[in-house]
């Protein structure tokens, strides 16, 4: 059995030191709660915001006017807008500019272009622009420093592998210390736990490069830990069945398509979309935010490929775009182009649709960011009923952190050390270390990707159905059993990856259960046995959760204003 | 092997090994970190940016390509 280090006790535990986790930590520590962040790698450079971001959605009355409603509507129609409980989105927007002010005060350059905030990109001609353009290249170092300054402790190289509840409330978590070759467990007892583990990647084969599973647009260390671990203790999820596919350069998968200022063209030069003929820093070509499947469609109908052509933009905007690539953390792209003699003024780059991943799909949270399990919160990409990427993670992190800290007095510490659940899971993970000459975590992860691609595929041009999903669940069960019985790992690093593979299997299972229950076609959830979109479901969310191994689903109305 | 460390330039500070979001290096004090899990690199460039000695070069795998054409071919 892998050894346990001393148990840590803290008022508030934050799982994941990404954008949401760090903002939650700052709020919680400033409110006087004992605050600990457990981070899988190192919060100065971890997660999808590791090397920068440049668009921060927010409502700024000075630029947008005193009526928040048009900005709310614009948010719903933007690429992050599909699956919101409007009640949460409204609160987010109301508190969003204060977060931008804080980031500015802490030293993140939120005003790179002059004395005031500027809104550019991801915008329709003639409509409000809601994305504040900033320079986030050093955001992670700054947020980490602020969290420490506020008094939060950060435990790097310590992924959380299991949540612990007592009498239906959160009690703490089991973490794995991967800072050396030899793994050890660490129990963390907490009154409140805030989950902020980001997206779930590596669920499906990498669309461009199936042989390179870590070539993902978002950080591949984010593997749906929050959804999986919360599922295991009975929390409710929503929208897990609704596929999301990002787009960007082919074959180097990278988010940040809006930083590219150009127009999308067919090989014969025609424009893909009707929105702009000439892109500028203010209004780029939003075609693919709207026509999400464009790059796949043009391959399937033979009219493609589709290229982004930046050659028509003016000199100033070109310089602006190059700067934006640095702010956005795309220096790998910049360096690669330089080394390979590629130039946006001479070359047009093919774009593609990446494989499905989970972003804005997952834990259902209430207006304060609390999940269906008392004391357990969530913020950021792993939340299922609200999404606004960088600013959403930050603002809701702040909301969760404050709420958790202000209610710690009402909570109490519970026993975690003699939990049968911890014992069971610790034994399972230890068995991978003890076993010799077994299968690898990678085989288990690839097995899952194969099953997801065949039986829970996302559109366009792929369908799901009752029989396929049912078969998928059966095969997934077989894969899990085989993995549990045969995986062997040599060190802490491989054990972390094996836990990720099992977490991803839970995500796959949740997706399939929910997809079975959504008996309609909508977005990229295409059912061959229910080919229509059911208007009665327009304003509804599908909740899914399990209790003692029995899966439950329920349709509920969206929480309106 | 995605990140390539120039051992002559490396001062063995361990920064790259610590900050890598994918934990792909192993490091022992006083030694050049080892790129232990190259296939798990995300190619985020963090190690290149944070190395105080500019000792790391990041190579994109051959199959990552960044497919492109001469833009002029779209302007007929
Ligand atoms: C290149 C790129 C450009 C982008 N540009 C923009 C942009 O301009 N605007 C925008 O709004 N969004 C942008 N995004 C998206 C944005 O980065 C994310 O939405 C944002 O980082 C979400 O914050 P988060 O806290 O939910 O997750 P993350 O910031 O990804 O943090 C998750 C953290 O959890 C850690 N973790 C994972 N599992 C565990 C575990 N089991 N235990 C402990 N820790 C764990 C990870 O290591 C990571 O630190 C971009 C993303 C990329 C990749
Ligand atoms: S590029 Fe990023 S993922 Fe790859 S080794 Fe460097 S820090 Fe790690
Ligand atoms: S960051 Fe640079 S100098 Fe420091 S150990 Fe890594 S390669 Fe060597």
């Amino acid at each position: 059995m892998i050894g346990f280090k001393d148990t840590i006790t803290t008022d508030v535990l934050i799982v994941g030191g990404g954008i949401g986790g760090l903002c939650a930590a700052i709020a919680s520590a400033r409110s006087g709660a004992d605050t600990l962040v457990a981070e899988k790698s190192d919060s100065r450079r971890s997660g999808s915001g590791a090397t920068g971001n440049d668009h921060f959605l927010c409502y700024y009355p000075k630029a947008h006017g005193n009526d928040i409603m048009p900005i709310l509507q614009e948010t719903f129609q933007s690429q992050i807008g599909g699956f919101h409980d409007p009640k949460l989105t409204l609160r987010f927007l109301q508190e969003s500019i204060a977060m931008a002010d804080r980031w500015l005060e802490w030293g993140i350059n939120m005003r790179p272009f002059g004395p005031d905030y500027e809104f550019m990109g991801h915008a329709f001609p003639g409509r409000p622009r809601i994305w504040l353009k900033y320079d986030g290249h050093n955001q992670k170092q700054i947020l980490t420093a602020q969290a420490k300054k506020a008094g939060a402790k950060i435990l790097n190289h310590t992924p959380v592998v299991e949540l612990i509840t007592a009498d239906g409330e959160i009690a703490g978590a089991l973490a794995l210390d991967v800072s050396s070759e030899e793994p050890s467990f660490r129990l963390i007892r907490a009154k409140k736990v805030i989950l902020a583990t980001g997206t779930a990647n590596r669920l499906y084969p990498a669309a461009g490069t199936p042989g390179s599973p870590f070539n993902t647009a978002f950080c591949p260390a984010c593997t749906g830990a929050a959804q999986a671990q919360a599922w295991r203790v009975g929390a409710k999820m929503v929208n897990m069945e609704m596929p999301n596919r990002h787009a960007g350069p082919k074959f180097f998968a990278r988010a940040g398509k809006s930083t590219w200022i150009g127009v999308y063209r067919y090989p014969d030069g025609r424009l893909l979309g009707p929105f702009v003929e000439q892109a500028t820093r203010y209004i780029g070509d939003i075609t693919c935010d709207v026509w999400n499947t464009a790059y796949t469609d043009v391959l399937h109908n033979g009219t493609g490929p589709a290229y982004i052509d930046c050659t028509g933009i003016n000199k100033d905007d070109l310089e602006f775009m190059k700067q934006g690539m640095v702010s956005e953390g795309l220096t790998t792209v910049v360096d690669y182009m330089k080394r390979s003699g590629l130039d946006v003024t001479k070359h047009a780059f093919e774009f593609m649709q990446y494989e499905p991943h989970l972003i804005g799909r997952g834990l259902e949270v209430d207006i304060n960011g609390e999940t269906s399990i008392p004391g357990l919160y969530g913020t950021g990409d792993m939340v299922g009923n609200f999404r606004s990427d960088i600013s959403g993670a930050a603002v809701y992190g702040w909301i969760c952190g404050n709420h958790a800290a202000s209610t710690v007095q009402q909570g109490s510490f519970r026993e975690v050390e003699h939990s049968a659940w911890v014992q069971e899971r610790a034994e399972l993970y230890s068995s991978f270390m003890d076993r010799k000459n077994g299968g690898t975590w990678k085989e288990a992860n690839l097995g899952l990707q194969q099953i997801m691609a065949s039986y829970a595929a996302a559109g366009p041009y792929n369908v799901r159905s009752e029989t396929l999903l049912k078969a998928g669940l059966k095969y997934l069960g077989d894969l899990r059993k085989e993995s549990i019985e045969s995986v062997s790992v040599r060190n802490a690093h491989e054990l972390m990856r094996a836990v990720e593979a099992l977490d991803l299997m839970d995500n796959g299972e949740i997706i399939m259960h929910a997809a079975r229950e959504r008996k309609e076609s909508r977005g990229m959830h295409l059912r061959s046995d229910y080919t229509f979109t059911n208007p009665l479901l327009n304003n509804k969310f599908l909740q899914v959760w399990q209790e003692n191994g029995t899966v439950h689903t329920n349709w509920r109305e969206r929480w309106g204003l | 092997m995605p990140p390539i460390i120039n051992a002559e330039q490396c001062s063995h500070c361990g920064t790259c090994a610590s900050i890598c979001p994918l934990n792909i290096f192993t490091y022992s004090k006083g030694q050049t970190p080892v790129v232990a899990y190259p296939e798990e690199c995300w190619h985020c460039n963090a190690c290149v940016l944070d190395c105080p000695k500019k000792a790391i070069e990041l190579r994109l795998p051959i199959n990552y390509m960044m497919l492109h054409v001469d833009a002029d071919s779209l302007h007929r």
Side-chain angles (χ1 to χ4, degrees), chain A residues 57-60 63-78 89-90 93 124 126-130 561:
Chain A
L57 195 163
C58 68
Y59 167 56
Y60 184 36
H64 296 130
N66 287 332
D67 185 3
I68 201 170
M69 291 325 259
I71 305 305
L72 189 69
Q73 287 314 322
E74 201 64 24
T75 303
F76 295 146
Q77 287 182 26
S78 76
T89 321
L90 182 64
L93 281 178
F124 293 97
R127 292 262 290 272
R129 298 194 298 261
I130 58 177
L561 300 178

Side-chain angles (χ1 to χ4, degrees), chain A residues 305-477:
Chain A
Y307 296 97
I308 186 152
D309 175 9
C310 306
T311 57
I313 69 176
N314 71 38
K315 256 208 171 102
D316 285 352
D317 282 353
L318 187 69
E319 211 29 62
F320 174 92
M321 172 169 123
K322 287 183 175 162
Q323 268 309 314
M325 294 248 169
V326 176
S327 306
E328 175 76 334
L330 298 177
T331 50
T332 309
V333 172
V334 176
D335 290 355
Y336 178 79
M337 286 197 191
K338 212 179 285 167
R339 270 204 304 275
S340 321
L342 298 177
D343 185 343
V344 288
T345 66
K346 294 199 188 89
H347 300 103
F349 293 84
E350 187 177 341
F351 267 33
M352 70 173 292
Q353 214 184 359
Y354 302 134
E355 69 285 355
H357 70 155
L358 297 179
I359 182 166
R361 314 288 193 264
L363 271 291
E364 177 180 283
V365 298
D366 71 7
I367 191 77
N368 298 312
E370 196 165 4
T371 70
S372 61
I373 296 187
L376 181 66
Y377 295 74
T379 183
D381 293 342
M382 42 60 66
V383 166
N385 53 334
F386 162 71
R387 174 183 172 199
S388 184
D389 294 10
I390 207 79
S391 58
V395 173
Y396 251 94
W398 192 257
I399 292 172
C400 289
N402 274 320
H403 194 266
S406 66
T407 52
V408 279
Q409 299 308 342
Q410 296 148 33
S412 56
F413 288 113
R414 290 152 194 279
E415 169 64 51
V416 293
E417 270 162 336
H418 299 102
S419 145
W421 170 243
V422 168
Q423 184 69 20
E424 177 192 328
R425 301 303 288 185
E427 275 172 15
L428 168 65
Y429 298 142
S430 298
S431 71
F432 300 157
M433 277 297 284
D434 298 338
R435 191 175 292 132
K436 300 280 169 269
N437 303 319
T440 65
W441 68 264
K442 196 171 175 189
E443 293 165 5
N445 195 159
L446 292 178
L448 172 69
Q449 294 191 344
Q450 290 156 208
I451 290 172
M452 294 304 287
S454 282
Y455 302 99
Y461 312 103
N462 295 301
V463 293
R464 298 167 168 182
S465 73
E466 173 61 20
T467 51
L468 292 178
L469 290 162
K470 202 171 152 200
L473 280 166
K474 150 67 168 82
Y475 301 145
L476 186 50

